[in-house]
Amino acid sequence: MTLYGRQKELAALDALLGAAADGRGQSLVLRGEAGIGKSSLLAYAEGEARRRGFTVLRAVGWEAERGLAFAALHQLLRPVLDRAGTLPQPQADALAAAVGTGAAEGPDRFLVGLAVLSLLAEVGDGEPVLCLVDDAQWIDEPSADALLFAARRLGVERVALLFAARDDAGFPAAGLPQSALSRLGRDDALALLAGLDVPAAVRDRVLRESLGNPLALREFGASGPAAAGRPQAAGQPLPAADRVLAAYRGRVLALPERTRLMLLIAAADSRSTLRYLVAAAERLEVELADLAAAEQQGLVAVVGGFVEFRHPLIRTAAYTSAPHARRVAVHEALATTSGDPDCRARHLASAATGPDEEVAAELADCAKRALARGGPAAAADTYAEAARLTPDAAPRVRRLTAAAWAAQQAGHAEQAAELAEEAYKQTADTDRRAELAYVRSFWLFEKDAAPEAGALLISHAADSRAYGREMLRAAATYAWFGGDVAALHRAADLLEGYGDAPGADARRADRAVRGLAHMAADDFARGLPPVADLLDEAAVGSATRLQAISSASLLPDDVQLPVITEEIDFARGDGIIGRLPYLLHVLARQQLYAGDHREAARTVTEAAAIARDTGLAMRIGRLHNLLARIPAIAGDEERVRTLVTPGMNAGGNYGVTALALLDLGRGRYEDVLKRLAEARAGAARYSAALLFATADEVEAAVRLGARDRALPPARRFAAWAAASGQPWARAVALRNEALLVAADAGGAAKAEAAYAEAVRLHTEAVGRPFERARTELLFGEHLRRERRRTEARTHLRTALRLFDGLAAAPWSDRVRAELRAAGEAQATARATAQDPADRLTPQELQVVRLAAEGTSSREIAARLFLSPRTVEYHLYKAYPKLGVTSRRELPAALAPPASPEP
């Protein structure tokens, strides 16, 4: 078939195949209206790929199959599933569970995506692989998640992924190259019609009615003007695809009755597998031979044990042109002969003419199996459909509740809230209503309505036998992030009213809520220990541990870091990919404040990539807010403003504090105070970001001569620093004190004593080099003003070395100016040597660090969600940058050079 007007797309497909053959895996999404030529381009790619020796894997989405978890993935990978035994065991188990070939249950759906990547890479080691997914907008969500996860991680694999999707239906493919297919211009349309020998008398009408849609041009041109339908007297004509569909319906209705019935059977069964179709046909007294007339018309083809429709619109026409009663009879026959319980349940649902408990029960069982295979999104839709077919109220509410929980598990908080609201209105049972309120609270929090979410939970917690304590703990967390101290104390009081919880972990979790209440009242001495106790004692991977991590931002660094890294290792090892964006976010925050900017950027890069793949757009914004601190320190205003996203509960405060720090470095002191005051008046007033920004507030206020504006936050920080016991925090509290008292009578001596003790504490502390540099700078400035220039230069040189090491340009410039004022004839140049790891990309750094620890390429691939081939590629690229030739040399090459003292 000649493809007119598609030179650009054909070139892109040739390039895609060429890149995959050369070991540069790529993906592409073709988008456009029905009939625009997507399937034809896929057919071209398939033919070219087979000619070049590719393994070709195909899947076609079908609207009726969207609720079957991993159905499209099974369809695509069926020819190569025998190779799955070569995968790492967790991936092999996850894939087996997903496609129903193993006994494993409940895989993380993104671990399935990693298994897909690994399997395709394994197959591609033999011969390159082309995966074709047509009508991608209709594939089930778990399959789409897995395929997109793999597509975004293609690197040096000999794999190409090609999707075709309608532009008027959902197929989330952010981050993948996209090609939007346009309608044909007049010249290309005429060239297409010329090949069909369309009479000149009707050519203009066919051009006019087809609107440049290639399929419409072919169908109308081949079938004559009648196929184009009646011209519209007024208004816009029907879309060309709808007219083609009407034309196809006409062609179907012109077939013999037995052929139409056989076509309907094929269209109604998403698998289109001959053995099931023939069995159903026998019950309806037709046979495979009855398809002959449809094959002669070019509507379908029987290929390799399957019936293939020449175009998705033909399938739709074959199904929708049949009377409803006949469709019901076909679905009943397919349900009886289906060898798969999920397909049976789907056919029974399609055949149902009203509420039917037996059908609803089978659908509910289908939903349970979808959950077990790691398809919560499909389970949610299936439970909801089961509920609609349930005649009695109590089981209907139970199934709607299950649908809501499944939607929440899939990350669809808004859908979960809508289902929960629907169920809530249909029951008076207080226990059930409390559970549904719990589900609804997640969406309220996601919408930045933390106070409303907490209030909802507190009002319903007493009615829940199963979730009461859990709801109050969640309410306390929401109240903390929403700045609602009254709700926080109320949740703590209600928890204590329950008495002692069963189990040590639960009791610690309850005490941690009271700890949060104490901290909200600035009583850190009583508040920090119970939260730290929960963090330290909760079991790895438990919900209690995650609650503790959420509450731990104000705990000492040395308490948080081991727990966070342990949780990340656990999530990686068990393939719980969906949990990683949050955990990596927490780790990046630790790395950032510890002054390890390169590692923080690497961690954020990984977290953002996984967040994008798992649909957590809000998390990406929070990560960018956090990362904005690095350019803020460097004085890069454009970069800071590019990264900062306002709002988003406490996550937004990291963006606010980055802007405030940038303002401080630029000398915009009033802007610093205004930003931070507004943030403290907001809902997220208790966030760690605002607490840690106290030093910026104090310095700005002192430089404006308005120290009273900084006294309350300084006192709060000092109380927290004393309770935390962290040397760096106590040092910063002393620095704040020195700034605030220096102008008082006799304040110079007090300030000097505070600065000296702060410097001593900084030398005891691990990390926080930026805070130490600021203390050294301010002490140096103080000593210079006291005309003690020699002593001042000692502290200023240390500050310069530290600021230079952090690429803190405005701060380094400020120190150089102070050094010159202190009598340093020439400002000291940067004293730190380049770390060889600075030459590496974040991904290369991650790979070589693991390789230096002796981790194999296969293990690194599983840990970082890459293929082993990509790991080897990153090592190949990193070796010359580090000046090494083997893994054995990596530990020495990664050791940073010493930074000589000036």
Side-chain angles (χ1 to χ4, degrees):
M1 179 185 297
T2 302
L3 297 176
Y4 295 94
R6 298 294 181 224
Q7 289 76 15
K8 182 182 72 172
E9 288 81 5
L10 294 175
L13 295 180
D14 287 337
L16 182 81
L17 295 174
D22 291 341
R24 292 177 287 115
Q26 296 181 8
S27 58
L28 178 63
V29 181
L30 301 174
R31 290 198 182 273
E33 65 187 15
I36 201 67
K38 303 183 299 293
S39 297
S40 296
L41 286 168
L42 261 59
Y44 168 84
E46 178 175 4
E48 274 296 297
R50 294 192 186 281
R51 187 181 65 79
R52 300 184 191 194
F54 276 62
T55 295
V56 178
L57 305 175
R58 287 184 54 90
V60 180
W62 176 234
E63 196 167 9
E65 203 172 51
R66 294 181 77 174
L68 293 178
F70 294 110
L73 193 66
H74 186 273
Q75 184 187 156
L76 182 77
L77 298 181
R78 185 166 41 203
V80 295
L81 284 175
D82 59 334
R83 305 280 292 275
T86 63
L87 304 183
Q89 200 58 50
Q91 296 178 35
D93 290 345
L95 188 59
V99 299
T101 61
E105 292 189 356
D108 184 283
R109 65 190 189 277
F110 298 103
L111 181 60
V112 178
L114 178 58
V116 171
L117 175 64
S118 299
L119 179 60
L120 295 177
E122 175 71 25
V123 176
D125 277 344
E127 55 188 22
V129 179
L130 173 64
C131 297
L132 300 169
V133 183
D134 202 356
D135 271 335
Q137 76 279 355
W138 284 336
I139 66 174
D140 60 280
E141 186 170 325
S143 291
D145 287 340
L147 290 170
L148 291 172
F149 188 93
R152 292 185 183 114
R153 280 163 174 73
L154 290 176
V156 295
E157 295 78 18
R158 302 177 72 206
V159 176
L161 275 157
L162 183 58
F163 302 92
R166 292 190 187 176
D167 53 12
D168 59 349
F171 178 62
L176 297 189
Q178 314 259 335
S179 178
L181 275 62
S182 60
R183 294 173 177 174
L184 298 185
R186 181 176 177 84
D187 289 346
D188 287 317
L190 283 170
L192 189 156
L193 290 179
L196 298 176
D197 195 24
V198 178
V202 298
R203 189 177 299 149
D204 284 343
R205 181 178 170 193
V206 169
L207 285 172
R208 184 174 62 253
E209 297 293 332
S210 64
L211 299 174
N213 182 291
L215 183 62
L217 283 161
R218 291 185 187 280
E219 294 304 318
F220 299 168
S223 304
R230 294 179 181 175
Q232 301 297 303
Q236 293 296 318
L238 289 172
D242 290 350
R243 293 179 162 227
V244 173
L245 181 60
Y248 280 144
R249 285 196 186 110
R251 292 174 64 182
V252 169
L253 291 172
L255 293 169
E257 182 178 354
R258 292 174 62 86
T259 302
R260 293 201 306 273
L261 179 54
M262 195 64 214
L263 265 184
L264 175 60
I265 295 169
D269 188 70
S270 57
R271 296 166 299 176
S272 296
T273 307
L274 282 181
R275 62 192 178 104
Y276 296 122
L277 300 184
V278 169
E282 288 178 356
R283 298 182 65 86
L284 295 170
E285 300 180 353
V286 289
E287 58 187 0
L288 186 61
D290 290 314
L291 275 180
E295 284 191 282
Q296 291 167 5
Q297 289 286 321
L299 299 174
V300 295
V302 178
V303 180
F306 299 91
V307 175
E308 293 185 358
F309 286 84
R310 186 168 62 82
H311 192 278
L313 286 176
I314 300 174
R315 181 178 209 157
T316 302
Y319 187 81
T320 57
S321 62
H324 178 69
R326 175 159 282 194
R327 293 202 297 264
V328 168
V330 164
H331 283 297
E332 288 175 342
L334 286 165
T336 303
T337 60
S338 175
D340 180 89
D342 290 342
C343 289
R344 169 184 163 81
R346 288 287 166 192
H347 285 303
L348 287 175
S350 296
T353 56
D356 186 316
E357 176 56 32
E358 289 186 9
V359 175
E362 291 210 32
L363 271 180
D365 288 342
C366 177
K368 290 177 187 175
R369 288 188 290 270
L371 274 179
R373 289 197 298 273
D381 293 341
T382 306
Y383 270 128
E385 188 176 357
R388 284 188 281 273
L389 287 172
T390 304
D392 296 329
R396 182 168 61 250
V397 168
R398 186 174 66 249
R399 286 162 183 158
L400 280 171
T401 305
W405 277 117
Q408 179 61 34
Q409 186 179 338
H412 298 167
E414 184 174 13
Q415 180 194 13
E418 290 171 353
L419 289 164
E421 181 71 21
E422 183 181 350
Y424 191 94
K425 293 175 180 177
Q426 296 184 37
T427 182
D429 183 273
T430 55
D431 186 43
R432 179 68 71 186
R433 281 190 154 202
E435 180 181 2
L436 293 164
Y438 192 15
V439 178
R440 288 160 58 205
S441 73
F442 300 130
W443 175 235
L444 287 172
F445 183 69
E446 194 69 20
K447 291 196 303 179
D448 268 353
E452 291 89 335
L456 181 67
L457 292 177
I458 288 172
S459 67
H460 283 82
D463 295 326
S464 176
R465 293 186 296 271
Y467 297 103
R469 286 183 182 274
E470 196 175 313
M471 290 168 68
L472 289 172
R473 292 177 198 139
T477 302
Y478 294 162
W480 172 263
F481 284 116
D484 190 344
V485 66
L488 186 49
H489 281 284
R490 177 65 175 154
D493 291 343
L494 289 172
L495 273 173
E496 289 173 0
Y498 275 107
D500 280 347
D505 271 4
R507 288 192 291 274
R508 279 191 289 268
D510 288 354
R511 288 195 296 270
V513 169
R514 179 59 72 185
L516 285 178
H518 288 316
M519 285 197 287
D522 296 346
D523 188 351
F524 298 105
R526 284 201 293 171
L528 287 175
V531 178
D533 184 45
L534 176 62
L535 188 73
D536 185 53
E537 296 295 334
V540 177
S542 67
T544 306
R545 176 71 77 93
L546 291 176
Q547 174 197 346
I549 290 172
S550 296
S551 306
S553 59
L554 297 185
L555 291 182
D557 298 346
D558 57 355
V559 174
Q560 293 183 64
L561 191 57
V563 174
I564 293 162
T565 54
E566 188 177 48
E567 279 299 307
I568 289 171
D569 288 343
F570 170 78
R572 290 191 194 279
D574 276 33
I576 309 174
I577 297 173
R579 191 177 293 177
L580 279 170
Y582 173 68
L583 293 173
L584 289 168
H585 184 166
V586 177
L587 175 62
R589 185 181 67 210
Q590 292 288 103
Q591 293 167 332
L592 188 63
Y593 281 101
D596 198 344
H597 293 178
R598 184 182 60 224
E599 287 295 322
R602 177 196 61 74
T603 302
V604 166
T605 298
E606 181 186 7
I610 298 174
R612 178 195 61 203
D613 289 337
T614 52
L616 301 175
M618 290 281 285
R619 177 62 55 192
I620 297 172
R622 293 184 178 116
L623 286 162
H624 287 170
N625 277 343
L626 182 67
L627 195 62
R629 182 174 174 83
I630 297 176
I633 288 173
D636 185 347
E637 185 154 4
E638 182 179 353
R639 177 66 174 155
V640 172
R641 296 189 183 281
T642 299
L643 287 170
V644 168
T645 304
M648 301 189 305
N649 293 320
N653 278 345
Y654 285 96
V656 171
T657 55
L659 288 166
L661 182 57
L662 176 73
D663 291 333
L664 185 65
R666 297 284 179 125
R668 299 189 292 246
Y669 304 124
E670 186 61 49
D671 289 344
V672 174
L673 296 182
K674 182 179 179 182
R675 284 188 199 282
L676 295 179
E678 288 176 354
R680 289 191 198 287
R685 61 181 65 95
Y686 302 126
S687 73
L690 286 180
L691 184 72
F692 296 160
T694 300
D696 306 337
E697 203 164 4
V698 170
E699 185 171 347
V702 168
R703 292 190 180 278
L704 284 173
R707 65 176 189 165
D708 288 351
R709 294 168 68 178
L711 284 174
R715 292 188 186 114
R716 184 169 185 265
F717 183 90
W720 170 77
S724 75
Q726 298 184 87
W728 78 265
R730 289 159 51 210
V732 172
L734 284 166
R735 185 178 85 213
N736 292 338
E737 180 187 335
L739 280 168
L740 291 167
V741 304
D744 293 341
K750 292 179 182 177
E752 181 175 341
Y755 278 132
E757 178 61 11
V759 167
R760 187 191 68 78
L761 287 169
H762 275 306
T763 61
E764 292 181 3
V766 177
R768 303 275 174 161
F770 185 65
E771 296 304 334
R772 179 184 175 186
R774 289 176 64 179
T775 301
E776 299 276 7
L777 167 60
L778 289 168
F779 193 13
E781 289 178 340
H782 173 82
L783 290 170
R784 184 189 63 77
R785 287 193 297 270
E786 294 295 309
R787 302 182 187 282
R788 294 158 62 183
R789 294 183 175 185
T790 301
E791 295 170 76
R793 287 196 295 268
T794 299
H795 293 287
L796 292 171
R797 288 168 185 155
T798 300
L800 182 61
R801 174 175 56 84
L802 293 169
F803 282 138
D804 277 348
L806 294 168
W811 299 86
S812 293
D813 291 344
R814 182 171 146 191
V815 178
R816 287 190 174 90
E818 280 294 322
L819 278 167
R820 286 191 293 270
E824 188 108 325
Q826 186 175 0
T828 308
R830 179 172 178 173
T832 55
Q834 185 183 20
D835 187 334
D838 288 338
R839 307 183 190 106
L840 305 179
T841 67
Q843 188 83 84
E844 288 167 355
L845 178 62
Q846 205 169 19
V847 168
V848 298
R849 283 203 185 285
L850 290 169
E853 295 169 4
T855 311
S856 71
S857 292
R858 194 176 184 86
E859 292 168 332
I860 295 172
R863 182 180 175 86
L864 301 183
F865 316 119
L866 304 169
S867 74
R869 189 184 182 101
T870 296
V871 169
E872 291 293 338
Y873 174 76
H874 284 309
L875 288 172
Y876 169 77
K877 297 288 285 184
Y879 284 171
K881 295 180 182 180
L882 296 174
V884 303
T885 58
S886 71
R887 287 176 180 243
R888 291 191 301 274
E889 301 171 75
L890 287 176
L894 290 175
S899 297
E901 294 286 344

